[in-house]
Amino acid sequence: MAPPSYRRCGKSGRSRGFMVSLRQVVCATVAMLAMSIVARAEDGFPFGTEMTLEALPQPGSKRIPNIEIGDNGEVVLELWCKGGKGQFSVAGNTVIFVPGQIQDRSCPPARAQADDDLVAALGSVETWKRQGDVLTLLGPKPLRFRVNGN
């Protein structure tokens, strides 16, 4: 005896079982591919995004460092006081950050030192990992950045 979904009904001989149209199959396939692409994009290096360092502001300031990563790895840095540019080069899970010119904006010594330390930490990263909206740059001092939500 055939399973209930394949039993024949009436004189026409048609099954009453689960029937899927070609259109439904195509739509489901496209939806799965789209979800797969989005999932990979969420786990890939966040080119074309702006991110904020997971850190507390320096005393006397509300500012927290952020980086804007361009589509080709170019970076605009806004630190606790200073600002500048740089470049990320990514191959697999390996990452290299090369700082460009950093602008000294007459910063108080403590903020200037924190900025210099952050640029040095960025320059010493070796690998990266991403989980959703969080990018972790791994090196002697791990740095966590969160994608800015708009």
Side-chain angles (χ1 to χ4, degrees):
M1 177 177 218
S5 62
Y6 291 99
R7 287 186 190 153
R8 296 185 182 261
C9 65
K11 295 181 183 178
S12 68
R14 292 186 203 162
S15 66
R16 297 178 74 188
F18 181 67
M19 299 203 59
V20 179
S21 71
L22 179 59
R23 181 177 179 201
Q24 289 171 317
V25 170
V26 170
C27 287
T29 303
V30 169
M32 286 190 295
L33 286 172
M35 287 188 293
S36 172
I37 291 168
V38 168
R40 274 189 248 134
E42 287 179 356
D43 292 333
F45 195 81
F47 293 108
T49 60
E50 186 175 333
M51 309 186 88
T52 300
L53 180 67
E54 287 188 350
L56 297 173
Q58 294 291 309
S61 173
K62 294 181 182 179
R63 201 164 158 176
I64 298 175
N66 69 58
I67 58 176
E68 186 176 334
I69 306 170
D71 293 335
N72 296 313
E74 65 279 7
V75 177
V76 176
L77 299 165
E78 285 300 329
L79 306 169
W80 280 286
C81 182
K82 297 179 180 182
K85 296 186 178 195
Q87 178 74 40
F88 277 118
S89 295
V90 179
N93 72 336
T94 301
V95 64
I96 297 171
F97 176 77
V98 178
Q101 184 166 349
I102 304 296
Q103 302 167 352
D104 187 356
R105 299 176 177 161
S106 301
C107 302
R111 285 190 211 150
Q113 186 60 53
D115 287 348
D116 294 342
D117 292 346
L118 180 54
V119 172
L122 284 166
S124 66
V125 299
E126 299 165 351
T127 60
W128 65 277
K129 67 178 180 177
R130 183 173 178 191
Q131 293 177 310
D133 287 346
V134 177
L135 170 69
T136 305
L137 299 173
L138 301 165
K141 181 181 178 182
L143 301 169
R144 286 177 48 104
F145 288 86
R146 185 169 297 277
V147 173
N148 294 351
N150 291 338

